[in-house]
Amino acid sequence: MRAVYASAINPDDPLAALTVGDLPAPPVPDGWVTVDVKATALNHHDLWSLRGVGLRADRLPMVLGCDAAGTGPDGEPVVVHSVVSDADDPRGVSLLSEHYPGTFAERVAVPRENLVPMPTGLSFVEAACLPTAWLTAYRMLTTKGRIAEGESVLVQGAGGGVATAAVVLALAMGKRVYATSRVPAKRERVEALGAIGVEPGARLPERVDVVIETVGAATFEHSLKCAAPGARVVVSGATSGHLPAVDLRRVFAMQLEILGSTMGTRAELVELLDLVVSRDIHPVIDRVYDLAQARDAFAQLAAGDVFGKVVLTLG
């Protein structure tokens, strides 16, 4: 089958470890089923895998990808929840493409319970954007950030998949949303979505109740300074560095909560799909490539020249 996979580990040049070619169909353990993939989306997790973060050399070659929408074993349209129970992982779970082959292929094997019916009103391309970045953003805002208790949100690093999803979802929930970006054009795009674009480090007109943090060292001090008393600073990434300086006086004086978040549950994915359909939300998509163009798609993601999601399609 056609697949996009890690054929090596290269911390310094991840694209050099990427291969587009043919691999055998994935094994199907008991209780698992096969999905014919119609569309799948890129995430920074895929670049980290090529660098060897979360992926060991003894698991190569490994099909990359966490997101998928396609047809299930009975021909029904489905969205794949890519979190798999894994007793060998210290987290108790792993994502597809870490221990089990991922979604950048014509077919992917998953536990049957990981299939979620794809709602009408969504295309395969739109649905493929939701199970990783959008699910992560949804959990950050709701389960972790308890957005219902607040009225304002700061999203750091607008343009990335999680950040853009958080902007759209928070706006759909009726919240005031501030979003930072170093790039004026990206600030203009978040403003077109309905958010307030601000430069990194800029003073906000108010302290916010929830901060969505995926950037890390470059923005973390700003995140803490912008947080209202009792605010939740929810972290799911550290693209600019994972060791920020933290002023603990601000944390305890303002009674801030710093919360880690990764992906989400199947139940949360169902909630997200319901929200997207009921509010007529459409994922922000930067560009769609054919699977054969995966190297170009990875190069775009690695360069940071993205606003929203980059999607791969299979005929």
Side-chain angles (χ1 to χ4, degrees):
M1 66 175 185
R2 294 183 298 156
V4 178
Y5 57 96
S7 54
I9 298 296
N10 193 322
D12 301 317
D13 185 7
L15 295 188
L18 181 71
T19 298
V20 181
D22 292 320
L23 284 178
V28 186
D30 290 342
W32 290 43
V33 295
T34 299
V35 173
D36 291 330
V37 178
K38 301 297 184 184
T40 178
L42 271 67
N43 295 282
H44 277 281
H45 180 273
D46 305 308
L47 286 171
W48 286 113
S49 295
L50 292 168
R51 293 185 175 102
V53 179
L55 178 61
R56 298 200 313 251
D58 61 2
R59 298 192 186 120
L60 300 176
M62 175 60 77
V63 178
L64 300 171
C66 303
D67 285 324
T71 54
D74 300 320
E76 73 282 14
V78 296
V79 180
V80 173
H81 181 234
S82 68
V83 181
V84 180
S85 296
D86 192 336
D88 294 330
D89 193 289
R91 301 167 295 180
V93 297
S94 63
L95 305 183
L96 295 177
S97 76
E98 293 179 346
H99 293 186
Y100 301 98
T103 59
F104 291 172
E106 293 180 288
R107 289 175 294 281
V108 61
V110 298
R112 181 177 288 275
E113 61 268 22
N114 283 49
L115 301 186
V116 178
M118 191 177 89
T120 57
L122 284 177
S123 68
F124 284 118
V125 167
E126 290 175 321
C129 298
L130 302 177
T132 299
W134 278 67
L135 179 58
T136 297
Y138 179 78
R139 179 178 175 84
M140 292 175 78
L141 288 167
T142 58
T143 306
K144 293 289 189 174
R146 307 192 304 279
I147 190 62
E149 300 175 15
E151 293 299 326
S152 56
V153 180
L154 169 62
V155 179
Q156 297 283 17
V162 173
T164 305
V167 168
V168 175
L169 290 171
L171 287 168
M173 296 173 188
K175 307 304 177 181
R176 291 186 302 279
V177 179
Y178 304 91
T180 68
S181 176
R182 294 173 299 173
V183 182
K186 290 185 178 181
R187 295 198 296 272
E188 292 175 4
R189 293 193 67 176
V190 296
E191 289 174 353
L193 293 172
I196 301 166
V198 296
E199 295 183 12
R203 185 182 183 90
L204 303 186
E206 62 178 318
R207 294 183 186 274
V208 299
D209 305 298
V210 178
V211 180
I212 300 300
E213 176 61 80
T214 62
V215 179
T219 58
F220 205 76
E221 181 180 8
H222 183 240
S223 292
L224 296 182
K225 288 181 177 180
C226 293
R232 282 76 64 196
V233 180
V234 190
V235 184
S236 71
T239 56
S240 70
H242 65 281
L243 295 173
V246 177
D247 186 343
L248 293 177
R249 297 168 299 178
R250 185 177 296 276
V251 174
F252 65 72
M254 299 291 281
Q255 300 192 65
L256 304 180
E257 298 179 43
I258 300 175
L259 304 163
S261 189
T262 301
M263 291 293 287
T265 65
R266 183 188 186 280
E268 288 167 333
L269 178 56
V270 172
E271 293 173 6
L272 171 62
L273 291 170
D274 289 343
L275 177 67
V276 165
V277 172
S278 65
R279 304 286 178 89
D280 194 28
I281 298 170
H282 295 276
V284 179
I285 297 170
D286 187 287
R287 188 167 174 183
V288 179
Y289 295 85
D290 183 81
L291 187 75
Q293 301 171 301
R295 185 170 295 279
D296 293 334
F298 268 80
Q300 182 186 353
L301 182 65
D305 183 22
V306 175
F307 189 89
K309 296 298 294 178
V310 175
V311 179
L312 302 176
T313 58
L314 295 89

